[in-house]
Amino acid sequence: MRAERATPDAIIAPITIAGDIAIAGWTFGFEAARVFLRNGPEGWRAGLISNDSLLLPSTLVSLGMSRRDSTPFLAEVRAQEAALGPDFSARFDAFGRTAYPQAPPEASNNSAPR
C-alpha cells in the first residue's frame, strides 16, 4: 500500500485478513481512511479506499464476500480498531469519499478503476 499510494511514511494499522480479502487502516499526515485489499496473482492490491461505508456488510457483499462471512470479519475489523482507540476510527470515518485506485499502466491500455 505504501508503494501504491506513494506514501512510504504512512501508518498502516490495523490490518484484518480473511482469506484473500483484507481491510487495513491507512494514515498519512492529516488524512486517514480504510482500504479494501484483495490478494491476487500480483499480491495484495488496494481495491478501494473509503470511510465507514466500508464497514457495511452490503459493501463487502458487493465486493465479493458472502454475507455470512462478512459479519464476523467486520466484527474483527471493529475490534482491532477499538484496540487502537477511538481516534483511529474517527479519522477513518471522516474520510469524505470512496476512491478507486487506478490499475497500474502495465495492467491495461486504459486507466479504468480496478
Side-chain angles (χ1 to χ4, degrees):
M1 279 176 29
R2 286 184 180 100
E4 275 188 42
R5 307 304 312 152
T7 53
D9 297 331
I11 297 168
I12 300 172
I15 301 170
T16 307
I17 301 170
D20 66 347
I21 292 173
I23 292 179
W26 175 84
T27 306
F28 182 68
F30 295 107
E31 191 171 24
R34 290 177 185 91
V35 182
F36 176 83
L37 300 147
R38 185 176 304 277
N39 193 13
E42 293 108 26
W44 289 98
R45 300 298 236 177
L48 67 91
I49 303 166
S50 194
N51 48 34
D52 57 340
S53 67
L54 190 50
L55 301 182
L56 298 172
S58 59
T59 300
L60 293 183
V61 168
S62 74
L63 293 166
M65 183 177 248
S66 75
R67 184 165 299 278
R68 182 179 55 106
D69 291 342
S70 71
T71 301
F73 178 68
L74 289 173
E76 181 63 23
V77 171
R78 288 185 181 100
Q80 287 194 25
E81 285 185 11
L84 293 176
D87 291 344
F88 272 84
S89 293
R91 291 187 71 196
F92 301 149
D93 292 347
F95 190 73
R97 62 194 181 282
T98 296
Y100 295 88
Q102 299 295 315
E106 66 275 6
S108 92
N109 292 332
N110 60 40
S111 59
R114 289 189 286 146

